[in-house]
Every structure is written in structure tokens, then in C-alpha cells.
């Protein structure tokens, strides 16, 4: 199912995907049972939109991949202190954008970031840059999803994360009942 949101006029609420019938989950990459959502600039309706999220969701195939764009305005307050003569977007904000996109690829439900491994920051991201984020799901289950993420700006890779591990909020936390 593809939901397209027009770029002009008021931002409509995205149509929820139908709940698939009970049965075995399709293998990633098979295309069977996957839900594709393609949207226009809908920052208010984008999960994770805001300071640490992303501005526009380009594609989300639940259980497979997602792509988004994050614009870096010069008006972010972090640029006054990080760093005054050479403003740089803090890496943690770029990582949060990747995690927000990974939550979109993980599918419906509430997902939280449980672990991050193999993060590399290769180039600075500054005011006025547009960051293209991509996430590829490497393992997907009902309670845990793992993704690989890449951020590109100005035609080059600026950051990568080898593993972003998400767990469902329905998962019992270690040490609790």
C-alpha cells in the first residue's frame, strides 16, 4: 500500500496501513506483505520530526528500509556553542536522526533504542547542509529490530552506524517482571 501526501495545502493525516492476516511473517526483501509509505514534506506527521528527528520521510518499507531528509538550519541553538567560529551539528543529533528513521523502518508500535555499535563520523555537518539518511533493516522480529544506517551530505558519507538495535516497549526489561 502506498500513501502519497501532496506537498501543497494542509498536511493530511497519513492513512494507517491495514493489519495483515495472521500467518508466518514474510522474509525481508521478499516484498510480500511489506508496507511502503512515500510522503512529501510532512515534518509534523513524521515520527521523530523535530530537533533530533528528520524533516521529510521519503520512503519507509516496514521491516526492510527507510529514507529521509534532514535540513540543518543555521538557527539551531547548538551552533552558538558547538563551535562559535566553526559551527558543527553535534554527532548525537545526527545519531538521533538515524534512530528516528530506524523506528520508522521497524514498523508500528513503540520502539526504543537499546544499543548502538560501530558509529563513525567521517565529515562535519554544518548550517545549511541537507542530510540524506538511509536505514536498512538487517534483522527484524516482533520485539527486536536491528538496522544499518548511513547519513550523506553534499554527495559524501558523513556518518554511518553499523548496528542500531531497537526493542519494542512491550519487551520486558532485564531485571523487571
Amino acid at each position: 500500500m502506498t500513501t502519497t501526501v501532496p506537498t501543497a495545502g494542509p498536511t493530511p493525516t497519513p492513512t494507517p496501513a491495514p493489519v495483515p492476516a495472521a500467518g508466518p511473517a514474510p522474509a525481508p526483501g521478499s516484498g510480500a506483505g511489506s508496507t511502503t509509505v512515500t510522503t512529501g514534506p510532512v515534518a509534523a506527521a513524521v515520527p521523530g520530526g523535530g530537533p533530533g528527528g528528520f524533516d521529510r520521510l521519503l520512503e519507509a518499507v516496514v521491516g526492510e528500509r527507510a529514507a529521509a531528509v534532514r535540513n540543518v538550519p543555521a538557527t539551531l541553538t547548538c551552533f552558538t556553542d558547538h563551535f562559535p567560529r566553526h559551527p558543527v551539528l553535534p554527532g548525537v543529533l545526527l545519531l538521533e536522526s538515524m534512530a528516528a528513521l530506524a523506528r520508522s523502518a521497524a514498523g508500528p508500535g513503540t520502539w526504543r533504542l537499546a544499543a548502538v555499535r560501530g558509529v563513525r563520523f567521517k565529515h562535519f555537518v554544518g548550517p545549511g547542509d541537507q542530510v540524506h539518511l538511509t536505514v536498512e533493516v538487517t534483522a527484524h522480529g516482533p520485539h527486536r529490530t536491528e538496522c544499518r544506517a548511513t547519513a550523506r551530505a553534499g554527495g559524501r558519507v558523513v556518518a554511518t552506524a553499523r548496528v542500531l538495535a531497537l526493542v519494542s516497549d512491550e519487551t520486558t526489561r532485564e531485571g523487571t517482571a
Side-chain angles (χ1 to χ4, degrees):
M1 176 185 147
T2 301
T3 303
T4 305
V5 179
T7 57
T11 303
T13 304
T15 307
V19 178
S30 68
S34 62
T35 303
T36 302
V37 178
T38 306
T39 62
V42 289
V46 170
F54 47 85
D55 296 309
R56 186 175 37 170
L57 183 63
L58 301 175
E59 176 186 36
V61 180
V62 173
E64 292 183 26
R65 66 185 176 279
V69 172
R70 178 188 180 150
N71 295 308
V72 183
T75 58
L76 288 177
T77 56
C78 63
F79 288 139
T80 58
D81 296 329
H82 198 269
F83 296 95
R85 292 187 182 163
H86 182 68
V88 175
L89 183 71
V92 70
L93 293 181
L94 196 54
L95 184 61
E96 177 54 35
S97 295
M98 291 178 186
L101 186 58
R103 284 190 286 274
S104 295
T110 305
W111 296 89
R112 61 184 165 81
L113 189 61
V116 177
R117 289 190 296 277
V119 177
R120 304 283 188 261
F121 297 103
K122 300 178 179 219
H123 297 283
F124 294 120
V125 175
D129 285 344
Q130 185 176 62
V131 181
H132 293 269
L133 304 159
T134 56
V135 167
E136 178 186 334
V137 176
T138 56
H140 183 60
H143 301 291
R144 185 175 176 88
T145 297
E146 291 187 3
C147 303
R148 177 179 23 244
T150 304
R152 289 179 173 81
R156 61 185 179 178
V157 175
V158 295
T160 60
R162 187 172 30 93
V163 176
L164 295 173
L166 304 170
V167 293
S168 170
D169 260 356
E170 298 166 3
T171 306
T172 303
R173 295 184 182 158
E174 192 173 317
T176 64

